[in-house]
Amino acid sequence: SSYRYYEAQYDSVQKTLEEEKQRFSELQQQKENTMTEEDIEKAAREQLGLGNCFICEADLYVKDPSIFRKELNQSCYYGRMQAGYSDDWVFEQDGAGRITSVGKGGTDVYNMVGVAYFRKADALILKDRIVEAYALEENAQLFWDDVVDRNLDALNLTVEPVLDGQLVEIDTVEELKKIDQSAGCITTD
């Protein structure tokens, strides 16, 4: 029975990957980001605070769906420990493990991997802060997680460790091809 469960999960992931390849191909045709601050504000108003929630980047391939079945007792960003220096997005933490800053570059720190989890109380705070931020024209190009970073003092966020390979960020066609050889039909024109 668990074999059938994992077989169904695998089939679901494969179907999702095919759909994402098609979407990736369509998005390649677009030269600029079409998501507006109104889209982000609308999503925040309609979804955040309804309950506990995950926010995931759209360019992830989740190889291990068990990362979403963990029992999480507080809000967190998922992060992968990077020994030595990393020039990627990283988390600074205080002695208790609470995230105090998100920025580029650090040594022996957790790298951001594109998944965040918010308990309802923190989601409500984030909802209000996103709506406030996007109401100001100067924040039109702000990413949602910039709003998180600006409000870390009001949010109780830690890092939930993930292992290398549990999820993969796909930024280029070449990275997609590493995951799925049939993606070779995607062009970069």
Side-chain angles (χ1 to χ4, degrees):
S1 95
S2 73
Y3 173 77
R4 278 187 240 126
Y5 169 79
Y6 286 110
E7 186 175 49
Q9 289 292 67
Y10 177 80
D11 290 343
S12 175
V13 167
Q14 289 301 104
K15 180 181 177 193
T16 301
L17 182 58
E18 289 300 318
E19 291 167 355
E20 289 302 312
K21 282 194 304 187
Q22 177 62 35
R23 176 130 169 81
F24 187 79
S25 180
E26 291 167 6
L27 290 175
Q28 271 188 308
Q29 303 304 312
Q30 298 176 6
K31 295 295 183 189
E32 59 186 51
N33 183 359
T34 59
M35 186 163 207
T36 66
E37 64 272 10
E38 289 88 12
D39 296 328
I40 296 169
E41 182 182 348
K42 180 180 177 191
R45 267 195 326 275
E46 293 178 1
Q47 298 301 314
L48 283 173
L50 296 178
N52 302 339
C53 68
F54 282 97
I55 300 176
C56 305
E57 294 179 2
D59 62 351
L60 298 177
Y61 171 57
V62 179
K63 292 176 75 172
D64 181 2
S66 72
I67 65 171
F68 295 110
R69 292 191 291 270
K70 295 179 177 184
E71 188 170 327
L72 301 168
N73 297 316
Q74 65 185 72
S75 300
C76 59
Y77 271 104
Y78 281 30
R80 185 174 29 252
M81 176 51 74
Q82 175 67 45
Y85 181 77
S86 171
D87 62 358
D88 208 344
W89 288 96
V90 300
F91 304 108
E92 290 183 28
Q93 298 173 271
D94 65 17
R98 186 173 176 168
I99 297 173
T100 58
S101 177
V102 179
K104 291 284 279 180
T107 303
D108 298 327
V109 291
Y110 284 98
N111 279 11
M112 182 182 279
V113 296
V115 176
Y117 173 78
F118 292 92
R119 304 273 305 164
K120 184 176 181 175
D122 285 320
L124 285 168
I125 292 168
L126 181 58
K127 171 186 176 176
D128 292 342
R129 302 297 168 86
I130 286 175
V131 170
E132 289 170 11
Y134 286 107
L136 303 173
E137 190 173 323
E138 65 263 19
N139 292 332
Q141 299 301 314
L142 202 62
F143 290 105
W144 73 269
D145 48 0
D146 290 325
V147 177
V148 173
D149 191 37
R150 291 178 177 186
N151 291 281
L152 286 171
D153 59 328
L155 300 166
N156 186 20
L157 286 167
T158 60
V159 174
E160 179 64 29
V162 295
L163 302 174
D164 195 30
Q166 286 186 297
L167 47 86
V168 178
E169 186 175 17
I170 304 169
D171 288 327
T172 65
V173 172
E174 289 72 29
E175 290 173 348
L176 178 61
K177 287 178 185 177
K178 286 180 185 177
I179 293 170
D180 185 351
Q181 294 301 317
S182 68
C185 64
I186 296 174
T187 63
T188 57
D189 297 337

